[in-house]
Amino acid sequence: MEIASVTISCPALFSTPRVCRSKPFALNFNTDHRKRFSCQVVDSELDLEYKKHDLLRAVQETQRGLTATSDQRSVIEEALVTVEGFNGGEAIDLMKLDGTWRLQYTSAPDVVVLFEAASRFPFFQVGQIFQKFECRDRSDGGIIRNVVQWSLPSLLEEQEGATLVVTAKFDKVSSRNIYLQFEEISVRNININEQVQSLLAPAILPRSFLNLQILQFIRTFNAQIPVTPTSPGRRSVGGLYYLSYLDNNMLLGRSVGGGGVFVFTKSQPLQL
């Protein structure tokens, strides 16, 4: 007697295909029950992957939020809420949160203003934006670094001419909320373009020690501005951040108090 089988594959965008096989005639009730439960789990995971794909497709044409219309924002919010519902009752796993996340979309005014400036001024570019969490061996908090790659194309390399890093300490205040206390703003990883390098140290002439020192100084330049309070008893600048969804490849967040929503996908480790 042949055994019928059904193959269910999840979208390749997020995970490897899963296969669920069911027999038309089970040997006993327990075996049949386990197989039905297994198929239900696969169906749920498959549905989640489709909903995540729908969300990423909704934000795709918005230039990370810069050009989002009111209709697009409504569609995105609906897709966000749908994905958030899949693990809304689970506490945030800091081990899973640890790592680098690339921004795909935001409605946060303090980030969108950077995109607006880049679209308005041709001498300014905004490259990739990341959130880097350092909390692998912690259960109560860690460090978060907001990383913005930017450039002045007439002086620096395209997109990744320099890096702005805003560092904050965060504490886990509930199962989903973390409180950020900003500590430092720094500018680092300055990469001047070839034209400027040629002006500072022409390739056709012997490069003097001073020329090389200037180039080395620029490449290793790291300006740091602390934002911690100078007066005792005063709390540093901070804010509440609600992590509304987290899995191995997607992070959704909401800045509490109307500060906007964020859609991130997992990225390769970022070296700073």
Side-chain angles (χ1 to χ4, degrees):
M1 176 188 235
E2 292 187 358
I3 297 176
S5 65
V6 178
T7 301
I8 302 175
S9 298
C10 299
L13 178 64
F14 292 106
S15 61
T16 55
R18 294 174 178 266
V19 177
C20 175
R21 302 185 183 277
S22 59
K23 297 179 182 180
F25 301 104
L27 296 178
N28 55 60
F29 174 80
N30 290 332
T31 302
D32 186 52
H33 176 73
R34 285 196 299 269
K35 288 187 178 295
R36 285 203 306 271
F37 177 76
S38 176
C39 288
Q40 289 172 357
V41 170
V42 171
D43 288 342
S44 177
E45 292 178 353
L46 179 62
D47 189 36
L48 171 58
E49 298 304 327
Y50 276 121
K51 298 304 183 185
K52 288 161 60 178
H53 177 70
D54 289 343
L55 174 57
L56 291 180
R57 186 171 56 188
V59 307
Q60 189 173 16
E61 303 298 327
T62 67
Q63 297 184 45
R64 293 182 288 184
L66 171 64
T67 62
T69 65
S70 57
D71 288 342
Q72 285 176 313
R73 285 193 289 270
S74 296
V75 171
I76 291 167
E77 176 64 22
E78 184 178 346
L80 267 167
V81 171
T82 300
V83 175
E84 289 170 342
F86 277 88
N87 70 358
E90 300 177 15
I92 287 296
D93 183 347
L94 294 186
M95 181 73 74
K96 192 178 293 184
L97 181 64
D98 183 84
T100 304
W101 301 85
R102 185 196 305 269
L103 180 70
Q104 302 295 339
Y105 170 85
T106 186
S107 60
D110 55 344
V111 180
V112 174
V113 70
L114 296 176
F115 302 147
E116 291 174 344
S119 67
R120 189 175 304 163
F121 304 114
F123 57 83
F124 178 61
Q125 290 181 343
V126 177
Q128 297 296 336
I129 296 179
F130 303 92
Q131 278 192 341
K132 187 173 188 291
F133 287 88
E134 300 171 9
C135 51
R136 178 175 294 275
D137 299 319
R138 299 283 300 275
S139 61
D140 57 348
I143 299 294
I144 178 174
R145 304 184 196 276
N146 296 308
V147 181
V148 180
Q149 295 177 336
W150 59 278
S151 180
L152 303 174
S154 57
L155 299 174
L156 307 176
E157 293 288 350
E158 295 277 339
Q159 300 295 326
E160 300 181 9
T163 302
L164 174 70
V165 181
V166 181
T167 302
K169 180 177 69 174
F170 75 87
D171 296 311
K172 189 176 178 182
V173 296
S174 71
S175 62
R176 285 300 179 107
N177 285 302
I178 60 175
Y179 185 82
L180 278 59
Q181 296 184 55
F182 295 101
E183 296 185 328
E184 181 184 89
I185 300 173
S186 65
V187 177
R188 59 183 78 175
N189 300 338
I190 296 179
N191 301 304
I192 58 177
N193 61 30
E194 293 182 1
Q195 290 82 0
V196 175
Q197 288 189 51
S198 297
L199 289 173
L200 292 175
I204 61 175
L205 297 176
R207 295 189 173 186
S208 67
F209 176 75
L210 179 59
N211 293 137
L212 295 176
Q213 286 292 97
I214 293 174
L215 289 175
Q216 183 65 19
F217 172 77
I218 293 174
R219 289 168 183 156
T220 59
F221 178 79
N222 186 353
Q224 298 176 323
I225 304 172
V227 291
T228 51
T230 54
S231 303
R234 292 187 61 186
R235 198 172 191 181
S236 63
V237 178
L240 199 60
Y241 191 27
Y242 176 64
L243 303 176
S244 58
Y245 179 85
L246 172 67
D247 65 14
N248 290 326
N249 49 49
M250 179 172 280
L251 169 65
L252 306 180
R254 295 177 180 270
S255 182
V256 178
V261 301
F262 300 85
V263 177
F264 292 93
T265 54
K266 197 64 178 286
S267 176
Q268 294 297 317
L270 186 66
Q271 301 299 324
L272 297 174

